[in-house]
Amino acid sequence: MVLSRGYEERLAAAYMEGKTPLFNMANGPLPGEMHLSNGQEPCAVGVCAHLRAEDTVTATHRPHHVAIAKGVDLRAMTAEIFGKQAGLSGGRGGHMHIFDPRVNFACSGIIAQGMGPAAGAALARKLRGEPGVAVAFIGEGAANQGAFHEVMNIAALWKLPFLCIIEDNGYGVSVMKKDSTAVARNDVRAAAYGVPGVYVPGNDPYAIYAAAGEAIERARAGDGPTLIEIETWRLAGHFMGDVEGYRPAGEKDALFARDPIPAMRQRMIAEKTATADDVAALEAEAKATLDAVFDYARSAAEPRPEEALEKVFV
Amino acid sequence: MVEPARRDNRRKRKLTIAKAISEAIAQEMERDSGVFVMGEDIAKLGGVFGNTQGLLDKFGPERVRDTPISETGFISMAVGAAALGLRPLVELMFVDFFGVCMDAIYNLAAKQAYFSGGHVKCPMVLMTSVGGGYSDAGQHSQCLYGTFAHLPGMKVVVPSNAYDAKGLMAAAIRDDNPVIFMMHKNLQGMGWLGTVAGATVDVPEDAYEVPLGKAAITRPGKDITVVGLGATVHQALDAAETLAKDGIEAEVIDLRSLAPLDREAVLKSVRKTGRLLVVDDDYKSFGVSGEIIATVAEAGIALKSPPQRLAYPDIPIPFARPMEQFALPNAGKVATLIRQMCQE
Ligand SMILES: Cc1ncc(C[n+]2csc(CCOP(=O)(O)OP(=O)(O)O)c2C)c(N)n1
Ligand SMILES: [Mg+2]
């Protein structure tokens, strides 16, 4: 969580370079849209802590926390986000299209698009009799998309080793969950597909870890999919540049007061899982890693323009 | 061919396309109680691209509806509402997202009139934004003009400036057929993205129509016809400006709509100039550029040099700036091509 948070703090700073005083998304070393996941780190680590390289994960337009927790190559991912030749996709994808087949991670920018590919990976493992489960991370907004329902049904029908994790941050861009979703909680929708549905409140990494562990065990045992909805919160706007006028007054302050990272630090120290020194050492290590990663990505070479024409077919 | 209202000095001010569209929709909603708006982030937020600003306050949540991210649902619902005589205006913010609900568009909306022998109409507008150039990668930067213009049964509109945008939107809402209304992000006038200066122009306050299917000659010239749409109109105009200093007079045509397509305007111009260049930031093959050149070829017009096209190569749109800018058309590339063609 600390690595992911620090990662995005650096990304956010780099993103704003060349975009002040006049914000223009096209400018600076990190152009285009930028969707931050700060605040949602518990969802990523609580689930991915159970996963191995052979397990597939698909994520969304807001992918950094999940990619980091899944063990995506940080240097190559960062180079990709900076649009460099040494990036995971040679600069073709950018921050919404991170592919690292080494750890079976992919993400994309169309809502609920990851559902099918994850369930397809689960099918492939099942057909080949190989170990490996698949997890699709989506937002609560995506649970109203057809692909979500179609894939949940097939995955349940075929008892695939599949999990759908809904990160409920309360908003799809500006639209509140209560204005987009006919039920208060999406875990109840699992009943429509005859699979277990779990709701994890409080953005709590420990509770997420426990719920995901059970579901992944079930999937590995061949007992089929689980739907988990996690209450979480995004501490940033939908994308950078979003003025967030749609939030009720005071909401942001309240969310920051419940930032899951200080809460976990406190709990670890209180429960004596770690000392304050241990935590400080972890944080220092994350900082050193990030320094090296960002230095590398910034100084990496730009792609040649003509490389745009390559890799359309392989 | 300049619209009369464009020369009308009464009560006009410079508006961005976003503001002009919001105004057109508001005027049509006042005029016709059957017009209503739905889409993602269009109510409280006023649209990610600002096309529905102020509408929620003015018309309330019954007629201005934020939808869930359920495009097949709400776009096919628009078809059903249109069949009963309402005039839904639906927004889906990026054309790249149409994949999830394509059936509702090309099999349902576009064929309702035909399948019913003309008895059931589909008076709806589906508006969206198109285009790249700001490093948003291949699922947020496409134009797909050719894709929609290829499919029969829907009209396809691509404004290049705020004046046209307002008048075309009024015409689109009043039309009894489905209209796909495609607005280029480089022209839109959003605070978070740069805007080509020529897109923000004088717009009269009163409602007016710019008819669908009529191209505009945005700059007269005798040496070459340059056909563009949306953002490429401005690239062609910039190139023409540069070349005028060297004595090359390019005539620039803004197609304004692809279906119906004003083939006559293109033919008339090419008969005069004897040269044709099409500039398009949509994919090159099987698209607008090929269609325009085929139109001229079929008419058997004798050309002074082979017709050319400058379009997006047949590759997905890359994220990294050097690669994307390499692939996109721009004014410099247009000018170079025109020079070559006029020397031939
Ligand atoms: C099919 C499709 N429709 C619309 C969009 C535009 N869009 C991008 S993110 C987003 C909101 C998604 O909300 P949610 O699933 O809750 O994810 P969050 O952004 O909260 O992480 C929308 C509507 C899209 N990318 N794809
Ligand atoms: Mg959300």
Side-chain angles (χ1 to χ4, degrees):
Chain A
M1 298 212 293
V2 165
L3 189 67
S4 183
R5 181 66 61 90
Y7 187 80
E8 289 200 335
E9 279 164 2
R10 275 157 215 256
L11 267 191
Y15 187 78
M16 289 314 293
E17 285 170 29
K19 294 191 180 72
T20 49
L22 205 65
F23 185 88
N24 179 344
M25 199 175 267
N27 295 339
L30 282 182
E33 285 176 68
M34 177 57 66
H35 310 84
L36 299 180
S37 63
N38 50 333
Q40 302 187 196
E41 297 91 346
C43 312
V45 300
V47 175
C48 294
H50 297 286
L51 300 179
R52 309 191 274 258
E54 76 254 22
D55 298 323
T56 291
V57 165
T58 62
T60 68
H61 55 287
R62 198 179 303 292
H64 306 142
H65 58 323
V66 183
I68 291 170
K70 185 62 175 61
V72 169
D73 182 327
L74 253 197
R75 278 164 38 113
M77 165 169 141
T78 313
E80 182 62 32
I81 295 173
F82 275 88
K84 298 301 180 69
Q85 196 175 45
L88 285 166
S89 318
R92 291 176 188 80
H95 116 103
M96 280 189 277
H97 307 285
I98 293 166
F99 285 76
D100 190 352
R102 202 183 46 89
V103 294
N104 292 300
F105 177 90
C107 64
S108 75
I110 305 290
I111 300 307
Q113 201 174 43
M115 287 292 292
L123 174 63
R125 295 300 187 199
K126 188 173 159 128
L127 287 178
R128 284 187 175 156
E130 292 170 354
V133 301
V135 183
F137 283 83
I138 62 172
E140 90 296 334
N144 297 314
Q145 186 63 279
F148 165 77
H149 296 277
E150 295 180 21
V151 171
M152 279 310 300
N153 181 59
I154 300 178
L157 185 69
W158 294 349
K159 268 194 169 346
L160 298 180
F162 171 73
L163 268 74
C164 174
I165 303 288
I166 301 177
E167 292 182 70
D168 174 15
N169 60 13
Y171 289 92
V173 192
S174 71
V175 180
M176 286 183 180
K177 188 186 193 187
K178 71 170 174 59
D179 296 326
S180 72
T181 308
V183 290
R185 287 169 23 175
N186 281 304
D187 58 312
V188 303
R189 288 175 162 178
Y193 307 109
V195 301
V198 183
Y199 181 76
V200 186
N203 208 14
D204 171 5
Y206 292 88
I208 297 165
Y209 181 78
E214 223 174 281
I216 290 167
E217 208 170 292
R218 266 176 47 80
R220 292 203 198 283
D223 293 333
T226 303
L227 174 63
I228 300 179
E229 180 163 72
I230 301 169
E231 183 198 11
T232 188
W233 34 83
R234 76 168 146 79
L235 295 173
H238 171 69
F239 52 39
M240 290 194 66
D242 177 1
V243 293
E244 301 180 75
Y246 48 80
R247 293 223 198 230
E251 182 177 90
K252 275 299 270 287
D253 290 342
L255 294 183
F256 273 103
R258 297 165 75 198
D259 187 334
I261 292 182
M264 178 155 182
R265 187 188 291 123
Q266 263 177 9
R267 177 163 170 183
M268 285 170 73
I269 294 168
E271 291 180 352
K272 302 204 187 321
T273 321
T275 65
D277 284 349
D278 293 339
V279 176
L282 277 175
E283 285 167 349
E285 190 189 314
K287 184 179 176 310
T289 303
L290 292 173
D291 284 344
V293 161
F294 275 78
D295 283 350
Y296 168 79
R298 278 182 183 273
S299 58
E302 301 270 353
R304 283 178 298 106
E306 305 75 30
E307 288 173 48
L309 305 174
E310 300 167 7
K311 312 287 186 198
V312 179
F313 297 105
V314 288
Chain B
M1 245 195 226
V2 174
E3 294 300 320
R6 193 180 292 208
R7 287 187 250 105
D8 179 355
N9 284 319
R10 272 176 310 145
R11 291 196 294 151
K12 57 188 187 188
R13 60 268 111 95
K14 271 200 180 2
L15 291 188
T16 61
I17 287 185
K19 290 254 160 60
I21 290 288
S22 296
E23 187 170 280
I25 299 170
Q27 288 173 343
E28 294 311 302
M29 289 181 80
E30 264 155 23
R31 196 173 162 269
D32 180 347
S33 63
V35 179
F36 73 103
V37 189
M38 55 183 174
E40 292 154 23
D41 305 287
I42 61 97
K44 230 196 252 180
L45 192 71
V48 167
F49 296 100
N51 291 315
T52 51
Q53 295 168 69
L55 297 182
L56 177 65
D57 289 343
K58 225 180 246 159
F59 300 101
E62 280 292 304
R63 289 178 75 193
V64 182
R65 309 184 149 251
D66 273 332
T67 61
I69 310 170
S70 309
E71 292 88 359
T72 293
F74 68 80
I75 293 175
S76 54
M77 286 167 68
V79 179
L84 292 194
L86 293 189
R87 292 189 178 271
L89 174 85
V90 184
E91 176 173 283
L92 179 47
M93 56 184 88
F94 289 71
V95 77
D96 312 70
F97 306 161
F98 281 28
V100 300
C101 52
M102 196 62 184
D103 186 64
I105 300 167
Y106 85 111
N107 269 330
L108 195 56
K111 292 172 183 160
Q112 183 150 281
Y114 194 79
F115 282 161
S116 68
H119 296 302
V120 183
K121 294 175 187 165
C122 189
M124 66 180 272
V125 179
L126 175 52
M127 66 175 173
T128 189
S129 60
V130 303
Y134 63 105
S135 297
D136 216 3
Q139 288 180 343
H140 290 78
S141 302
Q142 301 172 92
C143 289
L144 305 185
Y145 300 134
T147 305
F148 290 91
H150 178 68
L151 299 164
M154 46 196 169
K155 300 190 175 180
V156 178
V157 177
V158 186
S160 71
N161 62 71
Y163 175 87
D164 286 355
K166 181 175 173 184
L168 289 165
M169 179 53 81
I173 292 173
R174 294 176 197 180
D175 201 289
D176 276 342
N177 299 285
V179 179
I180 312 290
F181 204 98
M182 308 174 99
M183 285 168 279
H184 202 290
K185 280 165 258 169
N186 296 354
L187 309 178
Q188 187 70 6
M190 295 310 296
W192 45 272
L193 205 57
T195 295
V196 173
T200 304
V201 296
D202 285 340
V203 177
E205 266 176 41
D206 293 344
Y208 58 93
E209 279 187 57
V210 170
L212 311 185
K214 274 209 146 330
I217 309 289
T218 48
R219 181 187 175 108
K222 60 175 177 31
D223 297 320
I224 182 168
T225 300
V226 185
V227 175
L229 73 170
T232 65
V233 171
H234 299 277
Q235 297 169 359
L237 286 171
D238 286 353
E241 185 82 34
T242 309
L243 294 168
K245 293 176 198 131
D246 302 343
I248 298 175
E249 293 297 337
E251 177 149 299
V252 177
I253 297 186
D254 176 355
L255 290 175
R256 297 204 288 200
S257 77
L258 295 175
L261 179 62
D262 192 351
R263 297 179 201 270
E264 209 33 61
V266 175
L267 293 175
K268 197 170 154 208
S269 173
V270 177
R271 277 193 192 102
K272 178 175 78 178
T273 63
R275 292 188 181 89
L276 171 64
L277 169 64
V278 188
V279 190
D280 181 12
D281 49 345
D282 189 11
Y283 304 123
K284 181 171 182 175
S285 297
F286 307 97
V288 175
S289 57
E291 185 61 30
I292 297 295
I293 290 172
T295 298
V296 169
E298 283 166 347
I301 300 172
L303 296 174
K304 296 173 193 156
S305 69
Q308 298 285 333
R309 51 179 158 166
L310 181 60
Y312 202 89
D314 296 327
I315 58 168
I317 297 166
F319 161 70
R321 188 182 286 128
M323 292 196 280
E324 188 189 19
Q325 295 305 323
F326 163 78
L328 279 168
N330 61 38
K333 293 179 189 176
V334 176
T336 304
L337 247 173
I338 294 176
R339 256 200 200 97
Q340 278 169 14
M341 291 174 71
C342 289
Q343 276 160 12
E344 274 168 20

